[in-house]
Amino acid sequence: MIELNKDNFEQEVKQHQGLVMVDFWGESCGRCMELMPDVIALSEKYADELKFAKLNIAGNRRVAMGQGVMGLPSMVFYKDGEKIQHLSGEELDAQQIEDAIKTYLTETA
């Protein structure tokens, strides 16, 4: 997974052709930390089909706010630099994230 920050977000996400999933997280977000191993497992499972990145909002709040991320955890999907879906909330689980990934991979196949 690519570590994003305010300096590389534009290049890695907005200028990327294809699918990107960004995990917006924070160290004080308990649900984010619980989901992290599942997100890493998904990134390994789908590494050949989709670009995975994560952005710690500490020090990058302006980037997160600019992407409409107001709550954590948030998984945001982009296609060719355009935001296409935003999953968020305490109830978010790995199955919901994988279902979204499968949906976008099916659409682009």
Side-chain angles (χ1 to χ4, degrees):
M1 280 182 94
I2 297 166
E3 293 276 350
L4 296 174
N5 57 49
K6 62 184 179 291
D7 298 323
N8 68 357
F9 186 87
E10 185 76 22
Q11 177 187 348
E12 295 290 349
V13 178
K14 302 299 278 178
Q15 295 175 5
H16 180 75
Q17 292 299 303
L19 291 169
V20 182
M21 187 192 93
V22 179
D23 175 5
F24 289 85
W25 68 284
E27 291 168 9
S28 62
C29 168
R31 187 67 189 132
C32 297
M33 301 312 280
E34 290 170 19
L35 273 174
M36 190 77 66
D38 294 325
V39 172
I40 290 169
L42 289 170
S43 75
E44 291 166 356
K45 183 174 179 179
Y46 295 100
D48 295 339
E49 303 166 87
L50 168 69
K51 183 176 185 176
F52 288 85
K54 59 184 177 176
L55 182 120
N56 184 343
I57 64 159
N60 297 295
R61 287 194 192 280
R62 191 167 283 147
V63 174
M65 290 173 64
Q67 295 304 305
V69 174
M70 301 301 171
L72 296 177
S74 282
M75 305 295 158
V76 183
F77 291 84
Y78 299 84
K79 182 176 181 184
D80 301 334
E82 296 294 320
K83 183 175 171 180
I84 54 174
Q85 187 175 12
H86 184 156
L87 301 175
S88 186
E90 278 292 313
E91 303 303 313
L92 184 61
D93 64 30
Q95 189 60 57
Q96 290 171 289
I97 298 166
E98 187 167 18
D99 289 346
I101 291 168
K102 288 178 179 176
T103 297
Y104 294 121
L105 293 179
T106 301
E107 288 176 3
T108 58

XYZ file of all heavy atoms in Angstrom:
858
model
N 0.838 -1.186 0.000
C 0.000 0.000 0.000
C 0.876 1.240 0.000
O 1.863 1.297 0.711
C -0.889 0.036 1.250
C -2.110 -0.837 1.146
S -3.143 -0.688 2.624
C -4.259 0.561 2.093
N 0.479 2.175 -0.792
C 1.227 3.428 -0.889
C 0.813 4.345 0.255
O -0.379 4.525 0.520
C 0.948 4.109 -2.241
C 1.441 3.216 -3.384
C 1.580 5.485 -2.309
C 0.925 3.638 -4.735
N 1.793 4.923 0.924
C 1.536 5.913 1.974
C 1.369 7.274 1.300
O 2.292 7.763 0.652
C 2.707 5.974 2.958
C 2.890 4.730 3.794
C 2.011 4.707 5.034
O 1.388 5.738 5.373
O 1.948 3.644 5.659
N 0.197 7.862 1.474
C -0.068 9.162 0.874
C 0.150 10.288 1.876
O 0.043 10.094 3.081
C -1.518 9.235 0.386
C -1.920 8.290 -0.730
C -3.418 8.403 -0.992
C -1.137 8.561 -1.992
N 0.425 11.469 1.320
C 0.490 12.686 2.122
C 0.112 13.851 1.219
O -0.189 13.648 0.035
C 1.880 12.863 2.751
C 2.971 12.894 1.712
O 2.888 13.618 0.719
N 4.009 12.103 1.914
N 0.146 15.036 1.766
C -0.265 16.201 0.964
C 0.633 16.429 -0.249
O 0.211 17.033 -1.230
C -0.345 17.448 1.840
C 0.963 17.865 2.471
C 0.755 19.050 3.407
C 2.008 19.497 4.086
N 2.551 18.577 5.062
N 1.853 15.912 -0.206
C 2.788 16.132 -1.309
C 2.586 15.165 -2.483
O 2.871 15.519 -3.621
C 4.228 16.026 -0.802
C 4.543 17.086 0.240
O 4.039 18.227 0.105
O 5.268 16.770 1.196
N 2.111 13.943 -2.222
C 2.004 12.978 -3.321
C 0.566 12.579 -3.657
O 0.343 11.800 -4.580
C 2.843 11.727 -3.035
C 2.319 10.882 -1.885
O 1.346 11.224 -1.212
N 2.979 9.766 -1.648
N -0.430 13.101 -2.940
C -1.824 12.709 -3.178
C -2.245 12.977 -4.621
O -2.820 12.106 -5.281
C -2.761 13.434 -2.206
C -4.183 12.977 -2.310
C -4.623 11.885 -1.587
C -5.084 13.630 -3.136
C -5.938 11.439 -1.701
C -6.393 13.199 -3.252
C -6.824 12.096 -2.526
N -1.958 14.162 -5.093
C -2.362 14.543 -6.456
C -1.784 13.569 -7.489
O -2.504 13.059 -8.350
C -1.891 15.976 -6.744
C -2.350 16.537 -8.064
C -3.821 16.961 -8.076
O -4.402 17.211 -7.025
O -4.373 17.022 -9.179
N -0.494 13.301 -7.397
C 0.172 12.434 -8.364
C -0.306 10.990 -8.270
O -0.592 10.353 -9.287
C 1.689 12.481 -8.154
C 2.450 11.554 -9.080
C 3.937 11.493 -8.753
O 4.445 12.294 -7.988
N 4.623 10.540 -9.333
N -0.406 10.454 -7.054
C -0.739 9.038 -6.872
C -2.219 8.720 -7.081
O -2.564 7.603 -7.454
C -0.321 8.568 -5.471
C 1.172 8.589 -5.235
C 1.933 7.533 -6.016
O 1.313 6.622 -6.596
O 3.170 7.629 -6.053
N -3.092 9.686 -6.828
C -4.530 9.423 -6.905
C -5.195 10.185 -8.046
O -5.810 9.593 -8.926
C -5.226 9.764 -5.560
C -6.737 9.548 -5.656
C -4.630 8.938 -4.436
N -5.069 11.495 -8.035
C -5.813 12.317 -8.988
C -5.294 12.195 -10.419
O -6.043 12.377 -11.368
C -5.793 13.792 -8.548
C -6.375 14.033 -7.162
C -7.824 13.635 -7.045
C -8.715 14.723 -7.581
N -10.134 14.388 -7.541
N -4.010 11.873 -10.583
C -3.446 11.760 -11.928
C -3.328 10.302 -12.388
O -2.849 10.038 -13.477
C -2.079 12.439 -11.976
C -2.167 13.927 -11.748
C -0.806 14.604 -11.674
O 0.229 13.988 -11.874
N -0.811 15.884 -11.367
N -3.794 9.368 -11.569
C -3.668 7.944 -11.886
C -4.788 7.503 -12.829
O -5.956 7.823 -12.605
C -3.721 7.110 -10.596
C -3.598 5.644 -10.829
N -2.403 5.042 -11.137
C -4.524 4.655 -10.821
C -2.602 3.747 -11.289
N -3.879 3.486 -11.109
N -4.422 6.766 -13.856
C -5.412 6.181 -14.755
C -5.749 4.788 -14.242
O -4.876 3.947 -14.105
C -4.872 6.116 -16.192
C -4.684 7.470 -16.836
C -5.990 8.241 -16.938
O -6.954 7.764 -17.517
N -6.035 9.429 -16.352
N -7.015 4.565 -13.949
C -7.442 3.279 -13.410
C -8.082 3.469 -12.046
O -8.424 4.578 -11.646
N -8.238 2.355 -11.347
C -8.902 2.363 -10.043
C -7.920 2.546 -8.904
O -6.851 1.945 -8.897
C -9.641 1.038 -9.836
C -10.867 0.793 -10.707
C -11.323 -0.657 -10.572
C -11.993 1.731 -10.328
N -8.326 3.365 -7.930
C -7.534 3.580 -6.714
C -8.497 3.555 -5.529
O -9.578 4.153 -5.594
C -6.813 4.947 -6.723
C -5.964 5.118 -5.461
C -5.961 5.123 -7.958
N -8.108 2.863 -4.464
C -8.849 2.943 -3.213
C -7.945 3.587 -2.177
O -6.810 3.151 -1.987
C -9.276 1.568 -2.715
C -10.202 1.674 -1.496
S -10.478 0.117 -0.653
C -9.166 0.208 0.577
N -8.452 4.633 -1.525
C -7.688 5.314 -0.487
C -8.357 5.072 0.860
O -9.550 5.340 1.027
C -7.573 6.831 -0.753
C -6.781 7.503 0.367
C -6.924 7.096 -2.105
N -7.575 4.560 1.798
C -8.007 4.361 3.174
C -7.599 5.597 3.968
O -6.413 5.819 4.206
C -7.336 3.095 3.726
C -7.617 2.838 5.197
O -8.415 3.581 5.807
O -7.025 1.887 5.740
N -8.577 6.422 4.330
C -8.322 7.584 5.186
C -8.473 7.094 6.624
O -9.516 6.558 6.990
C -9.340 8.699 4.911
C -9.159 9.372 3.584
C -9.722 8.860 2.430
C -8.423 10.554 3.486
C -9.564 9.499 1.202
C -8.256 11.194 2.270
C -8.823 10.666 1.131
N -7.421 7.273 7.430
C -7.426 6.729 8.782
C -6.722 7.665 9.751
O -6.090 8.630 9.329
C -6.766 5.347 8.797
C -5.290 5.387 8.508
C -4.701 5.557 7.276
C -4.231 5.307 9.446
N -3.339 5.580 7.414
C -3.013 5.424 8.727
C -4.192 5.147 10.830
C -1.777 5.385 9.370
C -2.946 5.100 11.443
C -1.755 5.214 10.701
N -6.851 7.365 11.016
C -6.170 8.124 12.060
C -5.814 7.205 13.208
O -6.530 6.243 13.489
N -4.713 7.496 13.871
C -4.244 6.644 14.958
C -5.208 6.608 16.132
O -5.264 5.630 16.872
C -2.858 7.102 15.420
C -1.799 6.827 14.383
C -0.469 7.524 14.666
O -0.309 8.096 15.759
O 0.394 7.485 13.774
N -5.997 7.657 16.324
C -6.946 7.690 17.435
C -8.296 7.068 17.070
O -9.201 7.027 17.889
C -7.154 9.130 17.902
O -7.697 9.901 16.852
N -8.423 6.581 15.837
C -9.667 5.952 15.368
C -9.569 4.443 15.609
O -8.883 3.737 14.866
C -9.873 6.264 13.879
S -11.165 5.291 13.085
N -10.254 3.980 16.641
C -10.204 2.559 16.982
C -10.677 1.666 15.853
O -10.076 0.631 15.557
N -11.769 2.051 15.196
C -12.304 1.236 14.089
C -11.308 1.191 12.926
O -11.169 0.166 12.265
C -13.664 1.796 13.636
C -14.373 0.940 12.632
C -14.811 -0.395 13.229
N -15.307 -1.275 12.185
C -14.939 -2.544 12.042
N -14.114 -3.106 12.878
N -15.435 -3.275 11.070
N -10.610 2.295 12.676
C -9.587 2.324 11.616
C -8.511 1.277 11.897
O -8.099 0.545 10.990
C -8.921 3.699 11.535
S -10.006 5.058 11.107
N -8.073 1.230 13.151
C -7.004 0.310 13.520
C -7.482 -1.140 13.434
O -6.732 -2.026 13.038
C -6.484 0.627 14.928
C -5.948 2.063 15.065
S -4.823 2.603 13.762
C -3.314 1.849 14.313
N -8.768 -1.386 13.770
C -9.331 -2.731 13.655
C -9.408 -3.171 12.203
O -9.182 -4.337 11.884
C -10.740 -2.768 14.261
C -10.790 -2.633 15.761
C -12.227 -2.436 16.267
O -13.178 -2.750 15.534
O -12.365 -1.944 17.399
N -9.761 -2.245 11.317
C -9.916 -2.566 9.896
C -8.586 -2.714 9.155
O -8.529 -3.380 8.123
C -10.728 -1.472 9.188
C -12.234 -1.587 9.199
C -12.854 -0.340 8.588
C -12.706 -2.820 8.467
N -7.539 -2.093 9.673
C -6.259 -2.044 8.962
C -5.766 -3.415 8.476
O -5.411 -3.547 7.300
C -5.203 -1.349 9.827
C -3.911 -1.037 9.107
S -3.971 0.400 8.015
C -4.224 1.734 9.149
N -5.750 -4.466 9.315
C -5.273 -5.770 8.810
C -6.123 -6.295 7.652
O -5.598 -6.886 6.702
C -5.373 -6.693 10.036
C -5.384 -5.781 11.207
C -6.040 -4.512 10.748
N -7.449 -6.070 7.712
C -8.328 -6.510 6.626
C -8.057 -5.730 5.347
O -8.052 -6.294 4.250
C -9.803 -6.326 7.025
C -10.206 -7.235 8.172
O -9.702 -8.368 8.250
O -11.043 -6.806 8.996
N -7.840 -4.438 5.488
C -7.557 -3.599 4.318
C -6.225 -4.014 3.688
O -6.110 -4.114 2.465
C -7.564 -2.098 4.695
C -7.088 -1.237 3.539
C -8.957 -1.672 5.143
N -5.240 -4.302 4.511
C -3.943 -4.762 3.994
C -4.115 -6.097 3.273
O -3.565 -6.303 2.182
C -2.902 -4.839 5.130
C -2.546 -3.425 5.588
C -1.651 -5.594 4.673
C -1.726 -3.354 6.861
N -4.914 -7.001 3.840
C -5.173 -8.299 3.188
C -5.865 -8.094 1.841
O -5.504 -8.751 0.847
C -6.014 -9.187 4.096
N -6.830 -7.186 1.776
C -7.499 -6.892 0.504
C -6.521 -6.295 -0.499
O -6.576 -6.609 -1.692
C -8.682 -5.937 0.726
C -9.902 -6.530 1.430
C -10.886 -5.424 1.805
C -10.572 -7.580 0.556
N -5.628 -5.446 -0.007
C -4.653 -4.824 -0.925
C -3.724 -5.880 -1.518
O -3.306 -5.760 -2.667
C -3.850 -3.735 -0.213
O -2.887 -4.271 0.660
N -3.420 -6.912 -0.756
C -2.573 -7.991 -1.278
C -3.362 -8.880 -2.241
O -2.855 -9.280 -3.285
C -2.009 -8.813 -0.113
C -0.999 -8.008 0.705
C -0.651 -8.640 2.046
O -1.238 -9.686 2.413
O 0.208 -8.054 2.748
N -4.614 -9.149 -1.920
C -5.469 -10.008 -2.750
C -5.742 -9.382 -4.120
O -5.762 -10.076 -5.134
C -6.787 -10.263 -2.016
C -7.736 -11.193 -2.735
C -8.951 -11.490 -1.861
C -9.925 -12.410 -2.568
N -11.096 -12.712 -1.722
N -5.955 -8.076 -4.153
C -6.328 -7.391 -5.402
C -5.230 -6.482 -5.947
O -5.497 -5.603 -6.767
C -7.615 -6.576 -5.178
C -8.814 -7.433 -4.885
C -9.264 -7.600 -3.578
C -9.499 -8.092 -5.900
C -10.371 -8.397 -3.289
C -10.597 -8.891 -5.631
C -11.031 -9.046 -4.324
O -12.118 -9.838 -4.049
N -4.014 -6.702 -5.526
C -2.901 -5.817 -5.896
C -2.706 -5.666 -7.405
O -2.304 -4.605 -7.873
C -1.602 -6.314 -5.258
N -2.995 -6.709 -8.165
C -2.776 -6.659 -9.610
C -3.881 -5.924 -10.359
O -3.735 -5.610 -11.537
C -2.659 -8.080 -10.180
C -1.425 -8.798 -9.658
O -0.476 -8.120 -9.208
O -1.416 -10.039 -9.691
N -4.998 -5.645 -9.676
C -6.153 -5.086 -10.366
C -6.519 -3.675 -9.937
O -7.287 -2.994 -10.615
C -7.362 -5.995 -10.127
C -7.111 -7.433 -10.590
C -8.167 -8.386 -10.057
O -9.192 -8.509 -10.721
O -7.941 -8.982 -8.996
N -5.960 -3.236 -8.824
C -6.401 -1.987 -8.219
C -5.255 -1.418 -7.396
O -4.519 -2.172 -6.766
C -7.605 -2.334 -7.336
C -8.224 -1.418 -6.332
C -8.934 -0.266 -7.003
C -9.246 -2.222 -5.531
N -5.111 -0.113 -7.427
C -4.066 0.546 -6.643
C -4.619 0.874 -5.259
O -5.716 1.421 -5.142
C -3.650 1.829 -7.369
C -2.511 2.585 -6.713
C -2.168 3.776 -7.606
C -0.969 4.536 -7.131
N -0.627 5.618 -8.071
N -3.880 0.499 -4.231
C -4.290 0.760 -2.849
C -3.360 1.783 -2.220
O -2.149 1.710 -2.382
C -4.242 -0.519 -2.011
C -5.333 -1.498 -2.338
C -5.187 -2.403 -3.371
C -6.510 -1.507 -1.611
C -6.188 -3.308 -3.681
C -7.522 -2.411 -1.904
C -7.360 -3.307 -2.939
N -3.970 2.705 -1.473
C -3.182 3.722 -0.786
C -3.863 4.041 0.540
O -5.046 3.767 0.730
C -3.089 4.968 -1.649
N -3.083 4.609 1.456
C -3.675 5.033 2.724
C -3.128 6.395 3.092
O -1.992 6.740 2.751
C -3.441 4.003 3.823
C -1.998 3.695 4.128
C -1.931 2.578 5.167
C -0.499 2.190 5.456
N -0.412 1.187 6.512
N -3.978 7.163 3.777
C -3.606 8.509 4.170
C -3.963 8.702 5.638
O -5.135 8.639 6.014
C -4.335 9.549 3.312
C -3.948 10.981 3.646
C -3.349 11.662 2.428
C -5.124 11.780 4.142
N -2.936 8.885 6.450
C -3.138 9.204 7.858
C -3.543 10.673 7.911
O -2.800 11.535 7.440
C -1.846 8.957 8.643
C -2.000 9.175 10.131
O -2.944 9.799 10.596
N -1.061 8.654 10.883
N -4.713 10.949 8.471
C -5.180 12.336 8.440
C -4.343 13.268 9.306
O -4.402 14.474 9.123
C -6.675 12.449 8.809
C -6.928 12.000 10.232
C -7.529 11.705 7.810
C -8.225 12.546 10.791
N -3.547 12.719 10.220
C -2.654 13.561 11.027
C -1.672 14.255 10.091
O -0.913 13.614 9.375
C -1.911 12.714 12.053
N -1.723 15.557 10.058
C -0.843 16.316 9.182
C -1.357 16.450 7.762
O -0.744 17.117 6.934
N -2.486 15.793 7.468
C -3.053 15.825 6.113
C -4.550 16.144 6.138
O -5.282 15.757 5.233
C -2.827 14.471 5.424
C -1.364 14.162 5.231
O -0.668 14.845 4.491
N -0.881 13.143 5.919
N -4.981 16.849 7.166
C -6.410 17.143 7.309
C -6.968 17.931 6.123
O -8.094 17.711 5.702
C -6.673 17.918 8.598
C -6.543 17.056 9.816
C -7.137 17.731 11.050
N -6.763 17.013 12.263
C -7.350 15.906 12.700
N -8.320 15.378 11.999
N -6.963 15.324 13.806
N -6.186 18.829 5.595
C -6.662 19.641 4.470
C -6.956 18.767 3.251
O -7.944 18.967 2.552
C -5.640 20.730 4.135
C -6.186 21.755 3.164
C -5.300 22.979 3.083
N -5.536 23.815 4.260
C -4.611 24.546 4.848
N -3.388 24.556 4.391
N -4.909 25.285 5.898
N -6.092 17.762 3.010
C -6.326 16.831 1.898
C -7.616 16.059 2.154
O -8.466 15.929 1.262
C -5.140 15.841 1.728
C -5.459 14.788 0.685
C -3.866 16.587 1.358
N -7.767 15.521 3.370
C -8.964 14.742 3.707
C -10.227 15.595 3.548
O -11.208 15.152 2.925
C -8.848 14.203 5.131
N -10.208 16.800 4.074
C -11.380 17.676 3.971
C -11.680 18.025 2.523
O -12.836 18.089 2.110
C -11.177 18.924 4.814
C -11.211 18.617 6.305
S -10.772 20.021 7.354
C -12.086 21.160 6.982
N -10.638 18.213 1.733
C -10.811 18.513 0.318
C -11.455 17.372 -0.447
O -12.068 17.577 -1.494
N -11.353 16.157 0.095
C -11.967 14.989 -0.526
C -13.313 14.639 0.106
O -13.889 13.592 -0.171
C -11.014 13.784 -0.439
C -9.736 13.967 -1.234
C -10.019 14.276 -2.689
O -10.721 13.526 -3.369
N -9.499 15.387 -3.187
N -13.787 15.512 0.986
C -15.088 15.307 1.610
C -15.078 14.302 2.739
O -16.122 13.806 3.141
N -13.903 13.987 3.258
C -13.795 13.028 4.352
C -13.988 13.782 5.666
O -13.135 14.548 6.084
C -12.431 12.299 4.319
C -12.261 11.415 5.547
C -12.294 11.488 3.042
N -15.127 13.528 6.292
C -15.457 14.204 7.548
C -15.485 13.233 8.725
O -15.567 13.651 9.865
C -16.819 14.908 7.433
C -16.865 15.940 6.341
S -15.630 17.229 6.602
C -15.731 18.117 5.079
N -15.472 11.941 8.433
C -15.497 10.936 9.485
C -14.594 9.776 9.137
O -14.280 9.548 7.975
N -14.185 9.061 10.174
C -13.304 7.909 9.987
C -13.982 6.672 10.570
O -14.757 6.786 11.495
C -11.965 8.141 10.686
C -11.117 9.294 10.161
C -9.864 9.436 11.014
C -10.768 9.109 8.702
N -13.655 5.502 10.029
C -12.811 5.264 8.856
C -13.541 5.656 7.567
O -14.759 5.647 7.517
C -12.568 3.753 8.905
C -13.784 3.201 9.595
C -14.188 4.257 10.598
N -12.790 5.965 6.542
C -13.344 6.273 5.225
C -12.515 5.587 4.146
O -11.291 5.713 4.147
C -13.343 7.780 4.956
O -14.398 8.424 5.632
N -13.201 4.874 3.265
C -12.573 4.273 2.092
C -13.155 4.999 0.892
O -14.375 5.007 0.697
C -12.900 2.779 1.970
C -12.559 1.952 3.174
S -10.811 1.891 3.512
C -10.859 1.464 5.257
N -12.283 5.627 0.105
C -12.749 6.398 -1.033
C -12.178 5.781 -2.297
O -10.977 5.527 -2.390
C -12.365 7.889 -0.906
C -12.923 8.685 -2.076
C -12.874 8.467 0.417
N -13.064 5.534 -3.260
C -12.672 4.938 -4.532
C -12.611 6.021 -5.602
O -13.479 6.896 -5.662
C -13.686 3.869 -4.956
C -13.650 2.647 -4.088
C -14.348 2.597 -2.896
C -12.895 1.539 -4.465
C -14.313 1.466 -2.093
C -12.853 0.409 -3.674
C -13.559 0.368 -2.484
N -11.592 5.912 -6.438
C -11.390 6.841 -7.549
C -11.200 6.040 -8.824
O -10.597 4.969 -8.810
C -10.126 7.683 -7.337
C -10.165 8.540 -6.096
C -9.820 8.020 -4.855
C -10.543 9.877 -6.164
C -9.857 8.805 -3.707
C -10.578 10.670 -5.022
C -10.233 10.122 -3.801
O -10.273 10.895 -2.669
N -11.705 6.568 -9.917
C -11.456 5.983 -11.228
C -10.959 7.096 -12.132
O -11.641 8.110 -12.303
C -12.733 5.358 -11.802
C -12.489 4.693 -13.140
C -13.719 3.993 -13.655
C -13.395 3.337 -14.987
N -14.580 2.724 -15.565
N -9.763 6.906 -12.670
C -9.135 7.904 -13.541
C -9.120 9.288 -12.875
O -9.364 10.306 -13.516
C -9.828 7.964 -14.895
C -9.790 6.623 -15.625
O -8.865 5.825 -15.367
O -10.691 6.360 -16.445
N -8.851 9.299 -11.577
C -8.718 10.553 -10.838
C -10.011 11.142 -10.315
O -9.997 12.118 -9.580
N -11.147 10.550 -10.686
C -12.445 11.063 -10.242
C -12.975 10.221 -9.092
O -12.976 8.987 -9.164
C -13.464 11.031 -11.399
C -13.114 11.937 -12.558
C -13.145 13.402 -12.207
O -14.054 13.829 -11.462
O -12.244 14.132 -12.662
N -13.461 10.880 -8.061
C -14.056 10.182 -6.916
C -15.351 9.517 -7.366
O -16.218 10.179 -7.947
C -14.314 11.199 -5.808
C -14.866 10.627 -4.540
C -14.949 11.744 -3.503
C -15.686 11.312 -2.272
N -15.748 12.391 -1.287
N -15.486 8.205 -7.101
C -16.687 7.493 -7.540
C -17.496 6.905 -6.385
O -18.682 6.640 -6.541
C -16.375 6.387 -8.581
C -15.304 5.427 -8.069
C -15.969 7.009 -9.916
C -15.046 4.225 -8.987
N -16.876 6.680 -5.226
C -17.629 6.187 -4.079
C -16.882 6.495 -2.793
O -15.657 6.505 -2.762
C -17.879 4.675 -4.169
C -18.806 4.180 -3.058
C -19.167 2.710 -3.188
O -18.580 1.978 -3.952
N -20.147 2.281 -2.416
N -17.672 6.707 -1.734
C -17.115 7.019 -0.416
C -17.839 6.146 0.600
O -19.031 6.316 0.830
C -17.347 8.507 -0.134
C -16.746 8.982 1.145
N -16.420 10.282 1.358
C -16.413 8.343 2.292
C -15.920 10.433 2.576
N -15.911 9.250 3.160
N -17.121 5.184 1.173
C -17.660 4.336 2.231
C -17.125 4.858 3.554
O -15.930 5.111 3.676
C -17.212 2.886 2.055
C -17.575 2.176 0.754
C -16.928 0.799 0.720
C -19.074 2.066 0.597
N -18.006 4.990 4.553
C -17.553 5.547 5.818
C -18.449 5.096 6.959
O -19.587 4.692 6.740
C -17.558 7.076 5.745
O -16.998 7.633 6.914
N -17.914 5.172 8.171
C -18.713 4.933 9.359
C -18.201 3.813 10.232
O -17.447 2.950 9.792
N -18.642 3.846 11.473
C -18.242 2.847 12.468
C -18.659 1.433 12.072
O -18.049 0.470 12.478
C -18.863 3.186 13.828
C -18.103 4.225 14.608
C -16.737 3.734 15.080
O -16.632 2.630 15.622
O -15.768 4.481 14.882
N -19.733 1.311 11.298
C -20.249 -0.009 10.917
C -19.536 -0.589 9.700
O -19.810 -1.724 9.310
C -21.756 0.077 10.625
C -22.575 0.631 11.783
C -22.401 -0.163 13.073
O -22.465 -1.404 13.019
O -22.171 0.469 14.128
N -18.674 0.186 9.088
C -17.968 -0.269 7.893
C -17.166 -1.522 8.208
O -16.462 -1.588 9.212
C -17.040 0.847 7.390
C -16.287 0.585 6.087
C -17.249 0.364 4.928
C -15.368 1.760 5.782
N -17.297 -2.541 7.333
C -16.522 -3.759 7.559
C -15.830 -4.208 6.273
O -16.076 -3.677 5.192
C -17.389 -4.882 8.151
C -18.508 -5.351 7.221
O -18.351 -5.299 5.985
O -19.543 -5.802 7.740
N -14.965 -5.199 6.421
C -14.143 -5.661 5.310
C -14.991 -6.203 4.164
O -14.640 -6.027 2.993
C -13.152 -6.720 5.792
N -16.115 -6.843 4.472
C -16.970 -7.393 3.414
C -17.555 -6.284 2.546
O -17.598 -6.412 1.320
C -18.091 -8.254 4.014
C -18.877 -9.017 2.957
C -18.008 -9.963 2.143
O -17.345 -10.831 2.698
N -17.976 -9.791 0.825
N -17.975 -5.189 3.165
C -18.508 -4.062 2.392
C -17.431 -3.491 1.463
O -17.712 -3.141 0.313
C -19.003 -2.959 3.320
C -20.246 -3.318 4.089
C -20.549 -2.273 5.146
O -19.836 -2.167 6.139
N -21.585 -1.491 4.922
N -16.218 -3.402 1.971
C -15.110 -2.870 1.176
C -14.824 -3.811 0.001
O -14.700 -3.373 -1.144
C -13.847 -2.676 2.042
C -14.127 -1.656 3.154
C -12.658 -2.241 1.186
C -13.081 -1.640 4.257
N -14.766 -5.121 0.285
C -14.489 -6.079 -0.789
C -15.615 -6.104 -1.812
O -15.369 -6.211 -3.018
C -14.248 -7.479 -0.230
C -13.801 -8.451 -1.321
C -13.260 -9.762 -0.787
O -13.508 -10.110 0.384
O -12.561 -10.443 -1.569
N -16.859 -5.973 -1.367
C -17.984 -5.930 -2.307
C -17.849 -4.747 -3.261
O -18.102 -4.871 -4.467
C -19.320 -5.839 -1.553
C -19.686 -7.145 -0.843
O -19.064 -8.191 -1.128
O -20.601 -7.097 0.006
N -17.440 -3.593 -2.734
C -17.252 -2.410 -3.581
C -16.120 -2.652 -4.576
O -16.242 -2.314 -5.760
C -16.968 -1.181 -2.721
N -15.031 -3.252 -4.113
C -13.905 -3.558 -5.000
C -14.374 -4.459 -6.139
O -14.104 -4.185 -7.313
C -12.751 -4.241 -4.218
C -12.097 -3.242 -3.253
C -11.721 -4.841 -5.175
C -11.153 -3.881 -2.244
N -15.097 -5.518 -5.806
C -15.583 -6.465 -6.825
C -16.502 -5.765 -7.822
O -16.435 -6.035 -9.025
C -16.308 -7.626 -6.165
C -15.382 -8.586 -5.447
C -16.187 -9.692 -4.779
C -15.309 -10.679 -4.067
N -16.110 -11.702 -3.337
N -17.336 -4.863 -7.339
C -18.254 -4.121 -8.212
C -17.463 -3.332 -9.257
O -17.752 -3.390 -10.452
C -19.147 -3.169 -7.397
O -19.957 -3.951 -6.531
C -20.022 -2.308 -8.306
N -16.438 -2.607 -8.805
C -15.670 -1.783 -9.741
C -14.806 -2.618 -10.675
O -14.639 -2.255 -11.832
C -14.822 -0.745 -8.988
C -15.724 0.253 -8.305
C -15.690 0.434 -6.946
C -16.660 0.965 -9.051
C -16.561 1.317 -6.322
C -17.523 1.846 -8.428
C -17.468 2.021 -7.078
O -18.339 2.886 -6.469
N -14.307 -3.738 -10.199
C -13.504 -4.606 -11.072
C -14.389 -5.236 -12.152
O -13.949 -5.395 -13.288
C -12.781 -5.675 -10.253
C -11.697 -5.137 -9.320
C -11.063 -6.286 -8.537
C -10.631 -4.359 -10.074
N -15.618 -5.567 -11.804
C -16.572 -6.124 -12.771
C -16.911 -5.093 -13.833
O -16.963 -5.402 -15.022
C -17.856 -6.597 -12.058
O -17.490 -7.574 -11.093
C -18.830 -7.201 -13.029
N -17.103 -3.836 -13.393
C -17.468 -2.762 -14.328
C -16.343 -2.454 -15.311
O -16.600 -2.056 -16.436
C -17.798 -1.480 -13.563
C -19.112 -1.557 -12.830
C -19.380 -0.314 -11.992
O -18.570 0.628 -12.032
O -20.409 -0.297 -11.295
N -15.099 -2.653 -14.891
C -13.977 -2.302 -15.761
C -13.456 -3.500 -16.552
O -12.579 -3.346 -17.372
C -12.817 -1.688 -14.954
O -12.398 -2.615 -13.946
C -13.236 -0.378 -14.313
N -14.001 -4.685 -16.285
C -13.512 -5.893 -16.967
C -13.948 -5.916 -18.408
O -14.913 -5.345 -18.810
C -14.030 -7.134 -16.242
